[in-house]
Amino acid sequence: MDNVLLKDWLSKAVSGQVSSDFVEQAEMFQQQFVEKDLIIDLLRRDIALLKEEIAIQGMTDANSRQYTALEEAVQHLLHEFQKMKCAFIDFVERGPN
């Protein structure tokens, strides 16, 4: 949800008169938002598949390892997203130069 709000904020930030540098940086953030959306979708799919497998087979050693790997991936993504969010907020607050 944060990602959607940030993309909306970005759209509003570039809707006025802005420099080409500002637009270039905004495009970089837009690309990062798209990449994060893709990663989130892939993690959701992997988690859903793992849940189905656990429902059928129960918790196996392989499932447990996959669960741990997915949990670590989600934590890493959250950390990256928070860093990107802070950088984006700083960028927008500085405004177009």
Side-chain angles (χ1 to χ4, degrees):
M1 191 58 138
D2 271 352
N3 207 19
V4 171
L5 294 173
L6 292 174
K7 285 190 282 187
D8 288 343
W9 194 5
L10 177 62
S11 177
K12 290 175 186 170
V14 296
S15 65
Q17 286 284 73
V18 293
S19 69
S20 60
D21 287 342
F22 187 84
V23 171
E24 187 177 309
Q25 287 182 305
E27 288 174 350
M28 180 195 67
F29 278 109
Q30 178 68 25
Q31 182 60 36
Q32 288 178 345
F33 295 148
V34 169
E35 290 171 5
K36 296 300 181 230
D37 279 342
L38 177 60
I39 293 168
I40 289 167
D41 287 344
L42 291 172
L43 284 171
R44 282 184 179 144
R45 181 189 58 91
D46 289 352
I47 289 168
L49 291 173
L50 181 59
K51 284 175 67 175
E52 288 176 19
E53 192 171 315
I54 290 171
I56 294 168
Q57 299 177 358
M59 184 61 88
T60 64
D61 286 343
N63 289 344
S64 180
R65 285 189 299 275
Q66 186 177 7
Y67 175 85
T68 299
L70 286 170
E71 189 174 52
E72 289 172 2
V74 168
Q75 290 303 314
H76 181 73
L77 178 63
L78 287 172
H79 178 72
E80 281 186 6
F81 184 77
Q82 287 303 321
K83 284 178 21 182
M84 181 186 71
K85 184 177 174 180
C86 289
F88 175 72
I89 290 169
D90 182 56
F91 166 72
V92 173
E93 286 178 348
R94 282 181 297 164
N97 296 326

